[in-house]
Amino acid sequence: MFTLLFFDDWYLSARTNFARHVGNPKPVPEGTFEDPYADVSWGYPTVFQDPSTGRWRCLYQGEPTSLQHLPLLIESDNGVHWEIPDLSAEVDLEARICPHQLFGREQFHEWSPVFVDTRAYGTDHWLKGLVVAPSGGIGPTARLVTSRDAIHWHPQEGIRWHPYVGDPIATAFWNPYRESYVITARPTSNDRRVAVLETRDWEHFSAPELAIQADALDTPCAETYGMPVFQYEHMFIGLLWIYHTSPVVNADHKYLTGKIDCYLSYSYNGWHFQRTVREPLLANSSPGEHGAGCIYVSSLVQTP
């Protein structure tokens, strides 16, 4: 027995007077947070509630200056109204830039949505950050940082979760069918498609395998920019970011001036993904409003 989710007709023997559409979540205006210290256009926020305290936290990244991402934390009593904590007394940083900054630039170039590993709650590995950090050589490298409280973070030396990473759009989830942790990431640097790789011990990782990419039903020259995945009932829901290129290319490539919205994808096994109807789950808003340019849907919380 399981809940029947109508992403496709696979379980149906017939269809009569039935049309498939995508529901549209509604924004909560009072839940909007603007960081006075940093540009959070590429924030990739992760929202979660600490079971031991009941307090909500949000991990994200922001840019105090151009091309300088920092890992940041805000807190809330209800998951809607957010406050900036001063972490200077808890986290000693040699060159702190923001009061809610978690660790230094020498360990951090960017990170993706943080993985809240419910299987590891109460340990130093409860929260897992898929970081792209300076390597000391040419280009950044993939590194793993972990935490039990979202404030104190520990680099896991020698662990490289992706062999070719250049952009950090990666998310993780537990796959009970494969009995492994699955990471969605780009197949290689600057390849805007979605691949999957897996690990069972967070030390050894499989090679990336292509999971999904833009196709002929998408807008011209569209790309898949990223895809956070969450298990729901017996299936897996992908929040697929589609990058729509500008119809007028005002640079020497298509990688600037486009927009991003969010569509649904789904999987029966957490490894092979499909698209559903081409209606956005979260469409771009009107010019001048939040969400008019790019919508990076990064976090989903199931409540009782």
Side-chain angles (χ1 to χ4, degrees):
M1 299 291 292
F2 56 83
T3 300
L4 185 61
L5 303 174
F6 293 97
F7 286 93
D8 56 31
D9 295 343
W10 188 34
Y11 288 118
L12 305 182
S13 298
R15 253 180 67 173
T16 304
N17 297 327
F18 170 76
R20 180 175 287 106
H21 293 285
V22 175
N24 297 120
K26 303 300 181 185
V28 180
E30 59 267 33
T32 300
F33 171 78
E34 296 184 11
D35 194 317
Y37 294 92
D39 179 357
V40 295
S41 298
W42 297 271
Y44 311 139
T46 301
V47 174
F48 59 96
Q49 188 176 27
D50 189 328
S52 64
T53 64
R55 190 157 175 80
W56 292 84
R57 283 177 166 158
C58 176
L59 296 163
Y60 62 103
Q61 65 182 12
E63 288 183 285
T65 60
S66 178
L67 300 179
Q68 179 187 313
H69 289 292
L70 294 176
L72 305 172
L73 168 73
I74 52 177
E75 297 181 322
S76 172
D77 290 327
N78 57 13
V80 177
H81 305 97
W82 296 92
E83 302 171 348
I84 294 177
D86 185 354
L87 301 177
S88 55
E90 291 198 67
V91 182
D92 184 20
L93 297 180
E94 184 175 339
R96 176 175 292 278
I97 298 174
C98 300
H100 51 320
Q101 179 181 344
L102 293 167
F103 43 94
R105 291 183 58 199
E106 68 282 356
Q107 302 175 1
F108 189 88
H109 178 68
E110 283 192 79
W111 69 0
S112 294
V114 172
F115 175 43
V116 182
D117 185 0
T118 57
R119 293 164 52 85
Y121 179 71
T123 75
D124 287 339
H125 299 269
W126 176 40
L127 303 171
K128 296 177 171 66
L130 303 174
V131 172
V132 172
S135 63
I138 299 177
T141 187
R143 295 180 179 174
L144 179 68
V145 295
T146 64
S147 174
R148 79 161 56 217
D149 62 3
I151 296 176
H152 304 92
W153 291 84
H154 312 285
Q156 302 300 303
E157 300 298 335
I159 294 180
R160 190 176 181 186
W161 54 267
H162 197 298
Y164 318 110
V165 71
D167 210 329
I169 312 302
T171 61
F173 62 95
W174 170 251
N175 188 325
Y177 304 135
R178 299 178 70 90
E179 296 187 339
S180 68
Y181 294 96
V182 176
I183 297 173
T184 65
R186 294 179 177 177
T188 188
S189 179
N190 299 323
D191 184 344
R192 288 178 174 177
R193 297 180 294 172
V194 178
V196 287
L197 57 148
E198 65 183 341
T199 181
R200 289 178 171 83
D201 57 10
W202 289 97
E203 294 181 6
H204 306 89
F205 301 83
S206 67
E209 297 182 22
L210 184 64
I212 202 166
Q213 66 180 65
D215 59 35
L217 295 182
D218 288 308
T219 52
C221 299
E223 297 179 316
T224 50
Y225 203 79
M227 188 178 72
V229 173
F230 305 89
Q231 185 175 3
Y232 185 78
E233 298 285 343
H234 64 292
M235 295 178 63
F236 298 87
I237 310 302
L239 303 177
L240 185 62
W241 306 346
I242 297 294
Y243 174 80
H244 305 280
T245 58
S246 172
V248 179
V249 178
N250 54 13
D252 58 355
H253 52 68
K254 66 178 181 180
Y255 302 109
L256 296 174
T257 73
K259 292 186 176 184
I260 291 176
D261 54 9
C262 178
Y263 290 72
L264 283 176
S265 65
Y266 64 100
S267 172
Y268 289 100
N269 61 9
W271 195 256
H272 303 100
F273 285 83
Q274 301 174 176
R275 305 281 294 277
T276 182
V277 294
R278 304 306 168 90
E279 300 172 13
L281 176 70
L282 280 169
N284 292 113
S285 54
S286 300
E289 297 178 356
H290 290 293
C294 294
I295 298 178
Y296 304 102
V297 185
S298 305
S299 188
L300 185 150
V301 179
Q302 284 185 252
T303 64

